[in-house]
Amino acid sequence: MTTRIINGLSVEIDGAGPSLLCIHGLGGSSNTWTPLMDAFSGFQVIRPDLPGSARSPLPGRPLSIEGYVESMARVIDELGGEPVHVAAHSLGTIVAQHLALRHPAKVRSLALFGPLTSPPDAGRPGIRARAALAREGEAALQEIADAIVKGATSSRTKAQQPAVLALVRESVMRQPPEGYAQSCEALADAQAADLERLGIPALLVTGDEDGVAPPVNVQAMAGRIAGSRHTILQGCGHWTTFEQPQACAEAFAAFHAARSG
């Protein structure tokens, strides 16, 4: 494993084979994907921290979905420009969809965990309010982290996986406050991609208790992407790769096996 700084972003690179670009979500980092690394064997796994998240500093302009997309395109170009498979979580799934549409020659497939097209309009003010709270500093991020642990993990995870709760909490608490705030604002402003135009293999995975990417919404998304497949994980909330890593790994492996079979 190596860590490189590519256009200002911290990027972990592991393995060899076809490239797999992993895009984390709001409050995430390259470690969103650590539980799935065994399932990613056979790929060159590229795990950036998005601008303003974890170890990657804020750029000189406010964060946006468009900015995320172009930052991912530049990472692909810097690493040789060959088309990549993409795995993405939550906010990262919005970035992945727009990346595939804006740069179709760069993306071979999408594996989307906790996928969404954009926040519902009724939810956007709350995301902006979270941005304002994050700017109050580290104590506010702890408050946000505790609320996310309570609201975005499943009842099974809360009862049986205390280490997962700690991991979700730590992932959010370790975000830089301004970076997290701008990430919230980028999500609040996100617009839906034209899913019917994707035209590449896609896997959509969500939890049966995911309130951010509810199964009914994910099923509707899958219905708009020709030839896609979707999986609903039992006893799982929104932090799919942390809460149900084995099930995520199995879904990912089956998806890519079907593509190559």
Side-chain angles (χ1 to χ4, degrees), residues 128-149:
R128 293 190 177 95
R130 197 192 317 173
L133 178 59
R135 288 193 169 97
E136 296 180 13
E138 293 181 359
L141 274 174
Q142 178 180 330
E143 180 181 338
I144 291 167
D146 288 338
I148 289 171
V149 166

Side-chain angles (χ1 to χ4, degrees), residues 108-111 199-203 225-228 255 259:
R108 299 172 64 181
S109 71
L110 298 174
I200 56 174
L203 167 70
I225 304 172
S228 68
F255 172 60
R259 291 189 61 259

Side-chain angles (χ1 to χ4, degrees), residues 41-216:
S41 63
F43 292 91
Q44 180 191 51
V45 184
I46 303 162
R47 295 185 289 164
D49 289 344
L50 287 173
S53 292
R55 294 173 295 173
S56 291
L58 281 165
R61 62 188 183 280
L63 296 180
S64 65
I65 298 301
E66 180 179 355
Y68 288 142
V69 167
E70 295 312 311
S71 70
M72 295 299 96
R74 288 194 294 271
V75 167
I76 295 168
D77 289 341
E78 183 69 22
L79 294 176
E82 293 297 315
V84 301
H85 300 282
V86 174
H89 176 244
S90 191
L91 166 65
T93 69
I94 301 176
V95 178
Q97 293 160 52
H98 286 281
L99 176 66
L101 289 175
R102 182 163 300 181
H103 300 282
K106 297 184 187 297
V107 180
R108 299 172 64 181
S109 71
L110 298 174
L112 307 178
F113 297 86
L116 58 156
T117 56
S118 63
D121 287 342
R124 295 178 193 267
I127 300 171
R128 293 190 177 95
R130 197 192 317 173
L133 178 59
R135 288 193 169 97
E136 296 180 13
E138 293 181 359
L141 274 174
Q142 178 180 330
E143 180 181 338
I144 291 167
D146 288 338
I148 289 171
V149 166
K150 181 179 180 180
T153 61
S154 73
S155 54
R156 181 188 299 179
T157 298
K158 292 183 184 72
Q160 300 179 7
Q161 300 191 88
V164 170
L165 303 182
L167 182 56
V168 172
R169 189 172 187 263
E170 182 72 2
S171 185
V172 176
M173 285 174 60
R174 289 296 177 181
Q175 300 297 320
E178 179 62 23
Y180 187 83
Q182 289 195 28
S183 299
C184 287
E185 290 167 342
L187 176 59
D189 291 338
Q191 299 301 310
D194 186 354
L195 298 182
E196 286 81 3
R197 291 178 47 229
L198 278 175
I200 56 174
L203 167 70
L204 291 78
V205 179
T206 197
D208 61 339
E209 295 184 41
D210 189 337
V212 178
V216 65

